[in-house]
Amino acid sequence: NAGVTQTPKFQVLKTGQSMTLQCAQDMNHNSMYWYRQDPGMGLRLIYYSASEGTTDKGEVPNGYNVSRLNKREFSLRLESAAPSQTSVYFCASSENTDRTTYNEQFFGPGTRLTVL
Amino acid sequence: KNEVEQSPQNLTAQEGEFITINCSYSVGISALHWLQQHPGGGIVSLFMLSSGKKKHGRLIATINIQEKHSSLHITASHPRDSAVYICAVRPGTYKYIFGTGTRLKVLA
């Protein structure tokens, strides 16, 4: 099992360009997440999908869109990249059979994005 | 005030020292998760615990759900333990709340 995979690993964009970050998990998990990690800020939730067919905003959704393509895949799109979106992006998944039972999260290797 | 607080934020230790990292939270939870991130690296799971203590090698995690506090201990620390350690909780929603992490540096 590959776990959680992300592509690309590195990306440099110019301001205004668009791109999609891809994430896939092979653990049959229900919930998937996109986070960004900036120095000194910890992990901040951009969007999440509690289950296939649903998506919800996290704490920093502005400038991003997501698609839960199927149970395996959850993509993050930057429509018009800005330098403030320079960050490391992590995708994660969790079994989450219900709202209250705690299930650990499994993280992808991350995507380092630089917007010039 | 953050819902999940970690202390200390930064920690430098000499090789062989016993290390303690603390995590306090203000929300009701059923379990807590400790994660490790090496410099420039991915995030890996260390422990998930809901009561008592768990041990894996030189790492020990404890939790007191009633007191809303967990600790991560590293015995006989080694330079390869240098990493950021993060605690996370999920308080009855699908969203996880993370501490800002404790940056540990172990000197040889």
Side-chain angles (χ1 to χ4, degrees):
Chain A
N1 287 350
V4 181
T5 58
Q6 289 182 237
T7 56
K9 285 192 170 56
F10 300 93
Q11 184 72 50
V12 179
L13 293 177
K14 294 181 180 176
T15 296
Q17 287 185 316
S18 63
M19 78 161 296
T20 300
L21 280 65
Q22 306 286 354
C23 174
Q25 50 91 10
D26 62 2
M27 296 172 282
N28 202 37
H29 283 171
N30 291 309
S31 300
M32 298 185 73
Y33 302 80
W34 276 107
Y35 298 96
R36 60 179 289 173
Q37 187 180 43
D38 302 300
M41 298 289 288
L43 287 160
R44 292 188 291 169
L45 181 65
I46 305 171
Y47 272 93
Y48 68 104
S49 170
S51 60
E52 185 180 1
T54 69
T55 60
D56 285 287
K57 295 178 181 179
E59 59 182 302
V60 288
N62 291 346
Y64 305 95
N65 285 301
V66 289
S67 294
R68 184 76 183 265
L69 303 168
N70 47 55
K71 193 169 186 180
R72 287 187 66 248
E73 298 171 288
F74 189 40
S75 63
L76 178 72
R77 182 160 179 83
L78 287 69
E79 291 290 353
S80 180
S84 60
Q85 294 177 305
T86 294
S87 189
V88 181
Y89 291 84
F90 287 98
C91 177
S93 72
S94 180
E95 185 176 5
N96 286 357
T97 50
D98 59 63
R99 191 178 291 273
T100 56
T101 302
Y102 192 100
N103 300 108
E104 64 182 301
Q105 282 197 311
F106 294 83
F107 288 82
T111 296
R112 292 185 177 276
L113 175 66
T114 301
V115 184
L116 303 174
Chain B
K1 189 180 187 320
N2 292 336
E3 292 170 297
V4 179
E5 299 267 359
Q6 285 186 238
S7 64
Q9 288 189 332
N10 294 283
L11 181 57
T12 300
Q14 293 293 324
E15 183 173 359
E17 283 186 9
F18 181 85
I19 289 163
T20 295
I21 298 169
N22 296 299
C23 177
S24 297
Y25 51 92
S26 58
V27 293
I29 66 168
S30 59
L32 179 143
H33 201 181
W34 281 101
L35 304 155
Q36 179 193 56
Q37 185 177 27
H38 281 102
I43 301 169
V44 297
S45 173
L46 294 176
F47 296 102
M48 190 177 80
L49 66 167
S50 56
S51 66
K53 178 166 71 174
K54 283 193 176 180
K55 186 174 188 286
H56 185 257
R58 294 178 296 103
L59 299 177
I60 303 167
T62 64
I63 189 168
N64 186 318
I65 289 282
Q66 288 74 27
E67 294 188 3
K68 295 184 168 24
H69 183 266
S70 177
S71 293
L72 178 68
H73 307 286
I74 305 175
T75 62
S77 59
H78 189 276
R80 65 175 173 266
D81 297 324
S82 298
V84 176
Y85 293 85
I86 305 166
C87 64
V89 300
R90 184 161 73 88
T93 72
Y94 287 102
K95 293 189 279 188
Y96 294 78
I97 305 173
F98 297 87
T100 52
T102 294
R103 188 175 302 273
L104 171 65
K105 187 170 185 178
V106 182
L107 304 175

